[in-house]
Amino acid sequence: MNVSRPRVLLAVVVAGMLLLALVIMSPMMMTSIPSFIGNGGTQPDCTDDGTRVQEASDSAAADIPADYLELYREHGEKIGVQWSILAAVGKRETNHGRSDLPGVKSGTNSAGAAGPMQFLISTWGGKARIPMSSQFNGYASDGDGDGVGDVYNPADAILGAAKMLKRNGAPENVRGALFVYNRAWWYVDQVQEIAKGYAKSGEVEVPPEADDACDEPLVEAAPSDVVAKILAYALDQRGKPYVWGGTGPDSFDCSGIIFAAYRAAGLSIPRTTFTQWPFGVKIEQGKEEAGDLVFFNAGPGTSPNNPGHVGMVVSKGKMVEARCRLCGPIKVTTYGTRDTIVGFTRPLRNPDVIAQLEKLENA
């Protein structure tokens, strides 16, 4: 096309002015440019393994005794809940054990609560000090390895509190977990505000596996298209409730979500945990892949040879699971820190499934 000389000169001048504007633009203006320009959009940090420990703010370091801060961070990371939330509970309940009110260092308060994290004795296990070799129902925990769950011992009490928060929805549903801890929304609000002040970022973070935007990398990394379909279905069920015997679409139990996920990929596997365990080919721990199953010696009537709970591996160390009615909704959790793992299996190596895959390929 024939372009006149004046128009060409005008275009050169305009381009030069735009370039000059970019060169002299102040650093503040440059940082205000939306990060989606040129990189396809702001992406969430999906590289964390869910156990990253947030840095403590200066106010946290000044307010929390050093031994307590270490325990909050240690047990928060071990169990998989935000240490800042644990610390905020400890602050709100007893000022990190410094309160002289009844029940903090001995006895109970008027509500029957005791210790630095103010557990109801009935919730702890029926008495303040419980040998960990005994049978009990509660959150009594041994955080220092002395063989006793002592509600007045900060190491034990903080570990027990972490377990309670985890069981009731943390780290994803912190508000729900805190409401179970002390059934008042004003309490929940206060604890969250304290936690924000303790975290250097000023926010209570959730692990990347709680972010829907982190599903895509997991699915894309699947070892096959079939596994990608299985993962996509299972991850889409997050947030739905656990119901024993549930196979969807509104609720699931631990084996039900796996059965339904494989069915969504056109494959039929056994329905229950007890029948899924012998069905898949056993996989050595450390060699498991997305789509494999991880089994646990958990639940009534189970044993190392008869696991009663199952989750689906979504990445190394992570699984999607429907755990129990009181454990919160279906979510991605960490399996590497659990001491009840029985083993791993790969249903896709079962001869029946191999035949189904061949049939699907030839259809």
Side-chain angles (χ1 to χ4, degrees):
M1 186 170 72
N2 192 11
V3 180
S4 65
R5 185 178 182 86
R7 290 175 64 185
V8 172
L9 288 173
L10 178 60
V12 171
V13 171
V14 171
M17 292 175 65
L18 288 174
L19 179 61
L20 179 62
L22 287 173
V23 171
I24 65 175
M25 187 178 289
S26 69
M28 183 174 293
M29 291 176 69
M30 288 294 288
T31 57
S32 69
I33 296 175
S35 58
F36 56 75
I37 295 179
N39 67 4
T42 301
Q43 298 297 319
D45 177 10
C46 300
T47 60
D48 180 46
D49 64 1
T51 60
R52 179 180 58 201
V53 180
Q54 277 187 281
E55 291 187 59
S57 66
D58 291 342
S59 61
D63 183 50
I64 305 172
D67 55 341
Y68 271 72
L69 179 57
E70 182 178 353
L71 290 170
Y72 292 136
R73 293 168 69 92
E74 175 188 348
H75 294 317
E77 181 177 7
K78 177 180 179 181
I79 301 302
V81 302
Q82 298 93 333
W83 75 263
S84 56
I85 290 292
L86 271 177
V89 170
K91 173 68 174 180
R92 179 61 184 76
E93 295 291 351
T94 67
N95 193 20
H96 310 300
R98 291 178 291 216
S99 172
D100 292 324
L101 291 173
V104 177
K105 299 177 178 65
S106 63
T108 63
N109 64 14
S110 58
M117 303 303 281
Q118 289 293 278
F119 271 96
L120 293 173
I121 292 298
S122 58
T123 304
W124 185 252
K127 54 185 179 180
R129 296 178 177 85
I130 299 176
M132 299 310 293
S133 58
S134 62
Q135 296 294 319
F136 64 93
N137 291 317
Y139 289 100
S141 302
D142 181 11
D144 59 1
D146 66 357
V148 177
D150 184 346
V151 75
Y152 303 107
N153 182 334
D156 297 350
I158 291 170
L159 177 57
K163 290 179 178 179
M164 186 174 185
L165 292 170
K166 179 73 171 182
R167 181 184 180 96
N168 291 297
E172 295 89 352
N173 184 11
V174 168
R175 289 185 64 81
L178 289 172
F179 185 80
V180 174
Y181 202 97
N182 188 334
R183 294 182 180 275
W185 290 115
W186 57 261
Y187 174 89
V188 173
D189 293 338
Q190 288 183 7
V191 169
Q192 285 196 294
E193 283 304 309
I194 295 170
K196 289 179 181 178
Y198 281 164
K200 189 172 184 178
S201 66
E203 296 293 336
V204 178
E205 296 179 359
V206 297
E209 61 264 28
D211 190 339
D212 291 343
C214 291
D215 291 354
E216 187 174 344
L218 291 175
V219 175
E220 288 180 348
S224 69
D225 291 342
V226 171
V227 174
K229 291 179 182 178
I230 293 169
L231 289 187
Y233 181 91
L235 291 169
D236 281 347
Q237 311 316 307
R238 288 183 311 176
K240 294 183 180 180
Y242 172 97
V243 172
W244 187 83
T247 54
D250 299 322
S251 60
F252 300 84
D253 65 12
C254 66
S255 57
I257 186 174
I258 292 168
F259 172 80
Y262 273 77
R263 182 177 59 190
L267 301 173
S268 177
I269 66 170
R271 163 63 184 86
T272 68
T273 304
F274 298 117
T275 53
Q276 287 175 0
W277 168 241
F279 182 79
V281 173
K282 301 298 186 293
I283 301 296
E284 182 181 346
Q285 186 166 2
K287 295 184 178 180
E288 68 274 13
E289 297 178 352
D292 291 345
L293 308 186
V294 52
F295 292 84
F296 301 85
N297 179 15
T302 68
S303 67
N305 295 320
N306 195 36
H309 181 60
V310 62
M312 181 192 297
V313 176
V314 297
S315 65
K316 198 60 66 71
K318 295 293 181 181
M319 65 179 173
V320 61
E321 68 168 337
R323 190 169 185 180
C324 70
R325 184 177 62 84
L326 297 177
C327 300
I330 295 167
K331 55 190 170 184
V332 174
T333 60
T334 302
Y335 63 76
T337 57
R338 297 192 190 177
D339 57 8
T340 56
I341 293 178
V342 172
F344 299 81
T345 71
R346 187 166 297 163
L348 293 178
R349 284 192 184 174
N350 179 279
D352 289 345
V353 175
I354 292 174
Q356 293 175 47
L357 288 169
E358 291 175 349
K359 187 175 181 180
L360 287 174
E361 289 175 0
N362 296 327

